[in-house]
Amino acid sequence: MKAMKILVFFLCCLPLKPALSRHSRYHAIFSLGDSHSDTGNYPRTEAVAFQVIKSLPYGETFFRNATGRCSDGRLIVDFIAEAFGLPYLPPYLAVAKGPHVRIRKGVNFAVAGASAINSSFFSAQKIALWTNDSLSVQLGWFKNLKSSLCTTEQECDEYFKKSLFLVGEIGENDYNFPALSGQSIKQLRALVPLVVGAITRAVSMLIEEGAVDLMVPGQLPVGCTSMFLTVFQSANESAYDNRTGCLKAYDAFFKYHNNYLKQELQNLREQYPHARIMYADYYGAAMTIYRSPKHYGFYGGTPRACCGGGGPHNFNTTAVCGQTGATACKDPSAFMDWDGIHFTESAYHHIAKGMINGGFTSPPLLS
Ligand SMILES: *[C@@H]1O[C@H](CO)[C@@H](O)[C@H](O)[C@H]1NC(C)=O
Ligand SMILES: *[C@@H]1O[C@H](CO)[C@@H](O)[C@H](O)[C@H]1NC(C)=O
Ligand SMILES: *[C@@H]1O[C@H](CO)[C@@H](O)[C@H](O)[C@H]1NC(C)=O
Ligand SMILES: *[C@@H]1O[C@H](CO)[C@@H](O)[C@H](O)[C@H]1NC(C)=O
Ligand SMILES: *[C@@H]1O[C@H](CO)[C@@H](O)[C@H](O)[C@H]1NC(C)=O
Ligand SMILES: *[C@@H]1O[C@H](CO)[C@@H](O)[C@H](O)[C@H]1NC(C)=O
């Protein structure tokens, strides 16, 4: 009992030992994106669609309290911060609302539900997003904060040269919301140039502001999520990948986005030869786990959410994680899928390892 208390104290109160301190080339991390990287902005906005993340079981595994993260614990950005011996990034909206928050080692601008394209594009089509804090709004926040981080151009250049910029993952919501409102995969394909254009404009803008090292993740295999498997279920067996149980057509679509993004990043590398633009293959890292879940300590079989309201994938649109009628599994570390759309801490940890030392970034994050 006493040992347990001490362990909890150590976990919560001491700075984490930098696992890769010898590689600590970064003194700060700045992150933009959506719910896969939001560390607490969404609950600090006026938006109300996704209130469930404000309470347990969200956060139950690591922080033992809800932090606004869409998982039971840490996210990829948290594991990357740990790897470079840096603190967990404070959410920008906590910084904006309180002078006590330390920002020198980085800030997180990501907001759950955010899109890469401006939200007005979707509202014009009567598609209601969960937030209007799209990528361009997050970039505006970064510009606002810049004068508090550094003043002269030389000082900013020196500081940003030692910073890592995570641009995403972003774009999944640009596809999910239209798909859930009935748009076909063919219609989604027409959005890809716009989504990738918004991402590459963000990368260019950050480089113009002084960023040198940028990591730009692609999409995850969203056709493997319990939400997609439930909402887009098919009686036709050939709709499913027989190795993973994932929806082939949706995964092929998200791969199409990734290939388009990779091409555009190559163009940016030619345009900005001094910058180090890394593509992060979230899809490949996650798919490796879906193909051999047991190897990573997960249950095998068809993907299933840890926290949900029943059904073959434990995803029920009328009882989602955090709502009445939904319950969380006993051991989230045995599940990849946390709430039907986001991953468990355990899955995010494996994906992060794929980025930090597993060869799923090109060029590599550590070199
Ligand atoms: C847990 O989170 C709630 C709301 O986010 C907050 O009011 C409370 O103080 C937190 N508790 C602890 C022990 O951190
Ligand atoms: C998106 O909104 C920003 C303001 O937040 C604006 O400056 C920009 O021009 C808009 N982009 C597009 C493509 O409409
Ligand atoms: C986003 O903006 C639209 C148009 O101004 C508004 O109707 C909607 O309520 C806003 N959504 C959120 C989540 O704030
Ligand atoms: C099942 O899907 C495949 C392609 O995914 C298609 O060729 C076939 O016609 C479909 N079968 C039925 C019965 O709809
Ligand atoms: C899985 O599907 C592929 C085609 O997509 C087929 O070639 C293979 O035989 C199938 N494997 C099993 C075990 O059904
Ligand atoms: C989904 O949740 C509703 C409300 O809790 C419940 O009535 C229904 O039986 C659930 N569906 C499944 C498939 O579990």
Side-chain angles (χ1 to χ4, degrees):
M1 191 60 196
K2 196 168 175 197
M4 186 66 187
K5 267 193 198 144
I6 290 167
L7 183 65
V8 169
F9 173 81
F10 269 80
L11 284 176
C12 78
C13 310
L14 291 181
L16 281 147
K17 187 168 165 267
L20 293 164
S21 50
R22 67 188 184 281
H23 295 296
S24 281
R25 55 183 294 177
Y26 298 122
H27 297 180
I29 299 176
F30 297 94
S31 154
L32 303 109
D34 60 23
S35 54
H36 292 295
S37 25
D38 186 354
T39 53
N41 282 310
Y42 186 88
R44 291 178 168 86
T45 69
E46 306 286 302
V48 293
F50 203 36
Q51 292 291 321
V52 289
I53 61 167
K54 281 187 182 177
S55 28
L56 293 170
Y58 284 89
E60 67 173 12
T61 300
F62 184 78
F63 298 98
R64 297 175 185 249
N65 197 11
T67 60
R69 285 171 176 79
C70 296
S71 181
D72 60 314
R74 291 163 289 182
L75 311 177
I76 296 168
V77 61
D78 295 314
F79 290 112
I80 291 178
E82 283 183 16
F84 289 107
L86 293 169
Y88 302 127
L89 303 187
Y92 170 75
L93 294 177
V95 176
K97 284 172 187 168
H100 57 284
V101 182
R102 297 166 70 171
I103 58 176
R104 283 292 298 179
K105 294 188 172 173
V107 175
N108 195 345
F109 303 94
V111 182
S115 53
I117 307 176
N118 284 357
S119 64
S120 53
F121 174 87
F122 299 97
S123 49
Q125 299 174 62
K126 306 263 177 295
I127 295 172
L129 302 181
W130 284 353
T131 176
N132 289 328
D133 297 329
S134 310
L135 194 50
S136 65
V137 174
Q138 297 176 25
L139 286 168
W141 291 347
F142 170 72
K143 285 188 178 173
N144 283 345
L145 196 69
K146 200 179 162 188
S147 61
S148 322
L149 291 165
C150 53
T151 44
T152 66
E153 197 174 321
Q154 194 191 350
E155 191 196 344
C156 290
D157 283 351
E158 281 303 311
Y159 175 58
F160 289 135
K161 225 190 281 174
K162 290 181 190 139
S163 303
L164 174 66
F165 288 78
L166 284 177
V167 190
E169 174 282 325
I170 186 82
E172 185 180 322
N173 293 307
D174 300 62
Y175 305 126
N176 286 358
F177 283 89
L180 294 169
S181 66
Q183 290 196 14
S184 66
I185 288 179
K186 194 173 164 209
Q187 287 171 301
L188 299 184
R189 274 180 173 249
L191 293 174
V192 172
L194 303 177
V195 173
V196 171
I199 297 170
T200 53
R201 270 196 305 281
V203 172
S204 304
M205 200 217 85
L206 290 167
I207 294 172
E208 307 281 351
E209 294 285 340
V212 176
D213 281 31
L214 305 99
M215 184 170 123
V216 188
Q219 299 299 316
L220 288 149
V222 183
C224 301
T225 61
S226 296
M227 180 172 79
F228 268 54
L229 287 165
T230 304
V231 176
F232 301 114
Q233 62 181 281
S234 171
N236 186 344
E237 236 179 77
S238 66
Y240 297 92
D241 180 334
N242 57 15
R243 288 167 297 179
T244 57
C246 302
L247 287 162
K248 282 194 291 196
Y250 283 100
D251 279 348
F253 167 74
F254 286 100
K255 233 172 149 169
Y256 173 77
H257 163 102
N258 291 345
N259 287 330
Y260 202 105
L261 175 65
K262 279 193 271 186
Q263 190 68 50
E264 293 300 312
L265 293 182
Q266 190 49 40
N267 292 339
L268 283 177
R269 287 183 193 112
E270 282 158 26
Q271 199 181 333
Y272 300 104
H274 77 285
R276 194 157 178 275
I277 303 172
M278 293 168 270
Y279 172 71
D281 183 11
Y282 282 12
Y283 186 107
M287 193 50 89
T288 304
I289 311 172
Y290 282 117
R291 293 218 171 113
S292 3
K294 288 183 179 155
H295 178 78
Y296 296 89
F298 298 110
Y299 288 130
T302 183
R304 240 180 103 71
C306 160
C307 182
H313 304 285
N314 196 26
F315 182 83
N316 181 342
T317 48
T318 60
V320 297
C321 183
Q323 292 178 337
T324 313
T327 49
C329 64
K330 280 234 155 53
D331 182 9
S333 73
F335 288 75
M336 281 186 77
D337 191 324
W338 165 245
D339 60 2
I341 193 72
H342 306 107
F343 290 81
T344 57
E345 164 174 293
S346 177
Y348 280 133
H349 194 183
H350 284 297
I351 296 170
K353 280 192 263 187
M355 301 306 127
I356 296 157
N357 41 28
F360 282 100
T361 50
S362 59
L365 184 56
L366 303 176
S367 66

